[in-house]
């Protein structure tokens, strides 16, 4: 605590009265709202903020690049429904964090990026301050909300607004600008205390109208081949029991989007993942819960959907999500817990789907699963994506509590299809943008938040975006096992430079790189594996050890497909 010896910035204090300052008030405001962890990277003007957070009993997890601190905060927000907090310096630090904040907004994850900023009067006249930038305006297009706090007495309100904005309604990223001089401003302790408070009901329930529920139930009553589609919004909502009850009571087959896998165990008899193409094409009515009809679902139309317009019911908290891509016959607007509970109360009046529909799905599933097992159990040399993922799947089946982080192209597509999930909110991947670079940030965020092991399944290109954070993983001794699918390049390693010149092709990396040596530099354990058996042994051992490890899994460099399953989005290979 500071002590006033003469007039301070508030000009109200008599000599000897105890003072507090902006640094303390920011920490007090976060703590008052049960925030116990900050992910960030220090420097002027926020180093002392990080020090103080730690001194006041919060965890400060320091990163090597702000984007990964931001990604850690974002995934912590997704896992907990509390905004993940990322702290950065001004201008470049802020911009490095902004990618993560924009990604959080895109994925509907609650997060607050707090960045120090330069003096307003210099920034606004563009007089060339250290790390000068108009950060508030730079953030605006990419966030749900952005605020600047200019007076120490407003810190409580500013933090409250940031928290409420991040978690209420559709969650998203919030930018909070803290000018350097704000942090140094003082108030009396009594004034400071008065200005800090805990946000009441930051995630208010939003109850759907009874007419919307009746409309949705009527659509279901008249459907012949219904399907429920679960998105990561459904996982985020933590309404697991209600969702399970709705699915089981209705008897309707369901399909989880990738981060909704495990909301119900993937082995659930009504899970239609193994017949995905069939159900999307053949369903006549789709009840969407917490998913958007964006590119990941072919915008709700075209060949993926059997070229016919479906009847859609959409449960979402955003009133403007419906009709974004195709007409929605029955929008149900509210929080998923309330909406699903209201649908559950009426679902008894909807006839169970016909045996013809569920039987046809079952038949497809059995055929596809049998085909997949043959592919997974083949043991080619060198190892390919399937044989490696078959081994990982078998190990993770014995450890359902493990968090799985996944990025890459082929590595992402195949892992999503092969590695089943059995608990909710355990799968974290490239998400709505298909972004590369979330690997180590999400892994660290998930490990710190849950205290449970993390396995990151990473393409070698994908891993490169955040690889330096291996030092962070080792520094905090986190139970993270990173598996690099090393096929010598982006998608694969066999492209050649057609000119015969000295540069390698744009997709090619150093051959036979030893990513396992990288973690050894920081005291972690490295493994090099070339067969599924070696991978099984290394992964089992690494998870059991609960310490930082990296497995360099050598994958056939010819095995990958350009852009994985997104070949159709490449301008040169898209089907016209
Ligand atoms: P996916 O990528 O899995 O298809 P999306 O991120 O596209 O999922 O969609 C998630 C949707 O869930 C968003 O439209 C968002 O508004 C919605 N959502 C998030 N949280 C809630 C909630 N608590 N209640 C209702 N809808 C929610
Ligand atoms: C921020 C473009 C999509 S997938 C990918 C890139 C570079 C890497 C694929 O190679 P990898 O995986 O990881 O070795 P695999 O299994 O196919 O061998 N920059 C950003 N995001 C994206 N999506 C890209 C580039 C891309």
């Amino acid at each position: 605590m500071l002590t006033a010896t003469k007039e301070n910035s508030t000009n109200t204090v008599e000599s000897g009265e105890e003072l507090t300052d902006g640094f303390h008030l920011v920490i007090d405001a976060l703590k008052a709202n049960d925030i116990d962890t900050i992910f960030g990277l220090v420097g002027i003007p926020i180093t002392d903020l990080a020090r103080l957070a730690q001194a006041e009993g919060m965890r400060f997890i320091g990163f090597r690049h702000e984007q990964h601190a931001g990604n850690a905060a974002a995934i912590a927000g997704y896992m907990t429904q509390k905004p993940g907090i990322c702290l950065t310096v001004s201008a470049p630090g802020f911009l490095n964090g902004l990618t993560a904040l924009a990604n959080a907004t895109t994925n509907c994850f609650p997060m607050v990026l707090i960045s120090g900023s330069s003096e307003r009067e210099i920034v606004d006249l563009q007089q060339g301050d250290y790390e000068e930038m108009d950060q508030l305006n730079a953030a605006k297009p990419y966030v749900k909300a952005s605020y600047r706090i200019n007076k120490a007495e407003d810190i409580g309100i500013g933090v409250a607004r940031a928290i409420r904005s991040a978690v209420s309604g559709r969650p998203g990223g919030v930018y909070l600008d803290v000018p350097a001089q704000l942090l140094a401003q003082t108030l009396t302790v009594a004034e400071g205390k008065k200005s800090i408070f805990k946000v009441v009901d930051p995630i208010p329930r939003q109850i759907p109208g009874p007419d919307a529920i009746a409309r949705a139930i009527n659509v279901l009553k008249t459907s012949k081949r219904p399907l429920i589609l679960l998105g990561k919004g459904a996982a985020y909502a933590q309404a697991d029991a209600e969702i399970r009850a709705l699915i089981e009571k209705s008897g309707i087959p369901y399909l989880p989007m990738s981060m909704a896998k495990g909301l119900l165990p993937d082995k659930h008899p009504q899970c239609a993942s193994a017949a995905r193409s069939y159900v999307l094409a053949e369903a006549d009515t789709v009840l969407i819960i917490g998913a958007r009809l964006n590119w990941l679902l072919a915008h709700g139309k075209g060949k993926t959907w059997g070229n016919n317009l479906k009847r859609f019911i959409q449960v979402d908290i955003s009133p403007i999500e419906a009709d974004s891509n195709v007409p929605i016959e029955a929008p149900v607007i509210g929080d998923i817990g309330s909406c699903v509970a209201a649908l559950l109360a009426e679902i008894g009046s909807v006839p169970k789907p016909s045996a013809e529909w569920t039987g046809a799905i079952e038949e497809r599933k059995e055929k596809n699963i049998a085909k997949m097992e043959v592919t997974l159990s083949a043991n080619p040399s060198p190892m390919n994506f399937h044989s490696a993922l078959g081994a990982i799947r078998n190990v993770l089946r014995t450890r359902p509590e493990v968090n799985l982080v996944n990025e890459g192209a082929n590595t992402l597509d195949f892992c999503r299809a092969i590695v089943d999930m059995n608990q909710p909110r355990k799968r974290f991947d490239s998400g709505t943008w298909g972004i590369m670079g979330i690997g180590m940030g999400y892994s660290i965020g998930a490990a710190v938040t849950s205290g449970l092991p993390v396995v990151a399944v990473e393409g070698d290109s994908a891993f490169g975006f955040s690889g330096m954070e291996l030092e962070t993983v080792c520094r905090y001794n986190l139970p993270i096992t990173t598996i690099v699918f090393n096929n010598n390049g982006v998608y694969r390693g066999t492209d050649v430079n057609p000119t015969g010149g000295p540069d390698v092709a744009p997709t090619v990396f150093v051959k036979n790189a030893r990513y396992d040596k990288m973690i050894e530099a920081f005291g972690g354990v490295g493994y090099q594996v070339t067969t599924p058996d070696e991978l099984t042994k290394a992964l089992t051992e690494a998870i059991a050890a609960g310490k930082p490890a990296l497995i360099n899994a050598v994958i056939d460099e010819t095995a990958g497909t350009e852009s994985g399953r997104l070949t159709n989005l490449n301008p040169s290979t898209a089907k016209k």
Side-chain angles (χ1 to χ4, degrees), residues 261 273 372 412-420 427 565:
K261 278 165 68 74
S273 290
M372 176 71 94
L412 177 75
D413 292 337
F414 290 130
C415 182
R416 183 179 52 231
I418 293 168
V419 177
D420 33 49
R427 192 188 146 83
R565 297 233 176 113

Side-chain angles (χ1 to χ4, degrees), residues 385 407-412 433-437 458-463 465 485 487 489-492 509 560-561 564:
F385 290 97
E407 61 177 336
N410 297 279
T411 305
L412 177 75
W433 261 349
I435 192 173
M436 295 301 113
E458 302 272 308
D460 48 351
S461 164
F463 170 70
F465 288 74
F485 273 30
N487 61 354
V490 179
Y491 312 132
R492 60 173 175 263
F509 293 157
T561 308

